[in-house]
Amino acid sequence: MSRAVCPGSFDPVTHGHLDIVSRASKLFDEVVVAVGVNASKNRLFTAEERMEMLREACAGFGNVRVAGFTGLLTDFCSEQGIAAIVKGLRAVSDFDYELQMAQMNASLAPIETVFVPTAPEYSFLASSLVKEVAALGGDVSGLVPPAVLERLLARLAERAAGQA
Ligand code: PNS
């Protein structure tokens, strides 16, 4: 069975992420969407919340499951019998860092990285920008699933109320 991982922070999941997951699900028998659980990073959503949103968003894919991981991605891949890492490339600017990570990961374990070009309509999309635009009152309803939008607006409102 061919098994791949789509790793990321997913804070929160966007349509851009889901496009890559969807395409990976057609290339591999099983896809594990792996949420990096790094406690030191400042996130809008907890790891459990990010995984919940992903589980809802990925429910329609029969061969996709969601998991969390700590430590090295290559260790997670070895434990889970995963042979390929799937990453989306939005622009040439993504390539430098992604190539560096792919080569570092290949030096740590027998793992291939497969780059998938992001669909043009999502080439500008990043979770960080979605959060910034939403926090400033911009409309991000076309960029994230409806359930994510609801949670995003609620969390931003909570944060804003806490700062008032
Ligand atoms: O969505 P992001 O923040 O771009 O995801 C980055 C992620 C989680 C895929 C990357 O930081 C990662 O693989 N972290 C795990 C730690 C690790 O293996 N570091 C060495 C990378 S070469």
Side-chain angles (χ1 to χ4, degrees):
M1 173 189 274
S2 65
R3 188 177 289 139
V5 65
C6 288
S9 309
F10 304 104
D11 187 40
V13 59
T14 69
H15 285 323
H17 295 129
L18 294 170
D19 171 53
I20 300 298
V21 171
S22 160
R23 286 153 63 197
S25 76
K26 294 180 186 113
L27 295 173
F28 295 90
D29 296 326
E30 188 185 30
V31 172
V32 182
V33 179
V35 178
V37 181
N38 185 341
S40 69
K41 294 225 175 133
N42 191 20
R43 303 287 183 202
L44 185 60
F45 294 100
T46 66
E48 201 41 58
E49 289 170 333
R50 286 179 274 145
M51 287 193 278
E52 262 173 42
M53 286 186 275
L54 273 165
R55 285 195 186 102
E56 273 180 59
C58 294
F61 303 119
N63 62 339
V64 175
R65 64 184 164 89
V66 176
F69 77 99
T70 51
L72 285 174
L73 178 59
T74 48
D75 288 343
F76 176 77
C77 291
S78 304
E79 286 156 20
Q80 301 270 326
I82 291 169
I85 300 169
V86 178
K87 290 287 194 84
L89 287 182
R90 288 167 296 195
V92 175
S93 50
D94 279 346
F95 184 69
D96 276 348
Y97 185 50
E98 290 296 344
L99 179 64
Q100 196 179 11
M101 282 203 285
Q103 291 171 332
M104 175 61 87
N105 284 329
S107 80
L108 293 169
I111 189 117
E112 292 294 341
T113 296
V114 176
F115 292 125
V116 176
T118 297
E121 63 266 38
Y122 302 130
S123 62
F124 63 94
L125 197 44
S127 297
S128 55
L129 276 183
V130 167
K131 288 182 283 191
E132 183 179 334
V133 170
L136 295 172
D139 179 8
V140 295
S141 58
L143 308 178
V144 295
V148 172
L149 180 68
E150 200 176 310
R151 292 173 83 140
L152 176 61
L153 297 181
R155 179 57 45 86
L156 290 171
E158 274 168 35
R159 289 273 171 110
Q163 282 164 9

